Amino acid sequence: MKSALRYNGDDFYCDVAIPDPSRLDVVHEDSLVLAFHHTRPFWTNHIVAVPKKHIASLITLTPSDEPAARRLLEIVQSIAAHTVRTTGAAAVLTNLGTYQDSKHLHIHIHSGPQL
C-alpha cells in the first residue's frame, strides 16, 4: 500500500485521486470509475470506489448520472465478490450528509477487523 496522502479540502476524489491515480494503490480504473485501496484505511481490507464524474452523493443522483452510477455498482459488485472469495466476508457502505467527509459519491468495500 502506498503511504497516506494528506488532504484538507472537501473533495479528495476530484482534487487528488482522479487527476493523479498514480499516487494511489489502484484496484480498477476505466473511463467512468476509479477504485483504490483507501489512503487511510479503517479496516484491514478497505477499498473505495468513485465515479470519475463529480456526483455529490447517492441522494443527488439524477437520470444523467445513470451510466456512471451503473458502472460504479458493477465495479463495487465485482470488488465485493472478490473480497468475499479471498477473505470470507465483505461490507459495502456509503456515507451521506455530515458523515460524508469528501463531498463526492464514494462507496467503501471492506472486510476484516477495524484498525
Side-chain angles (χ1 to χ4, degrees):
M1 181 183 335
K2 297 188 180 185
S3 63
L5 300 173
R6 298 254 182 235
Y7 177 73
N8 294 319
D10 66 358
D11 189 346
F12 174 81
Y13 307 111
C14 277
D15 296 344
V16 178
I18 295 165
D20 188 7
S22 68
R23 300 171 64 185
L24 307 168
D25 186 0
V26 174
V27 173
H28 172 87
E29 182 177 17
D30 63 30
S31 63
L32 297 175
V33 174
L34 176 64
F36 56 93
H37 289 274
H38 201 290
T39 60
R40 294 179 331 220
F42 297 103
W43 295 275
T44 306
N45 302 292
H46 189 172
I47 295 169
V48 63
V50 300
K52 286 186 170 180
K53 173 184 179 182
H54 180 82
I55 300 170
S57 78
L58 181 68
I59 59 177
T60 66
L61 284 169
T62 67
S64 70
D65 299 324
E66 183 179 344
R70 182 180 302 276
R71 184 64 178 152
L72 177 63
L73 289 177
E74 290 170 355
I75 297 307
V76 168
Q77 180 182 38
S78 174
I79 292 169
H82 176 79
T83 302
V84 169
R85 283 192 307 276
T86 59
T87 70
V92 174
L93 75 92
T94 190
N95 295 309
L96 301 168
T98 58
Y99 290 148
Q100 189 177 1
D101 287 342
S102 194
K103 306 307 182 204
H104 187 119
L105 174 60
H106 59 287
I107 299 177
H108 301 268
I109 306 101
H110 64 87
S111 69
Q114 263 192 318
L115 300 176

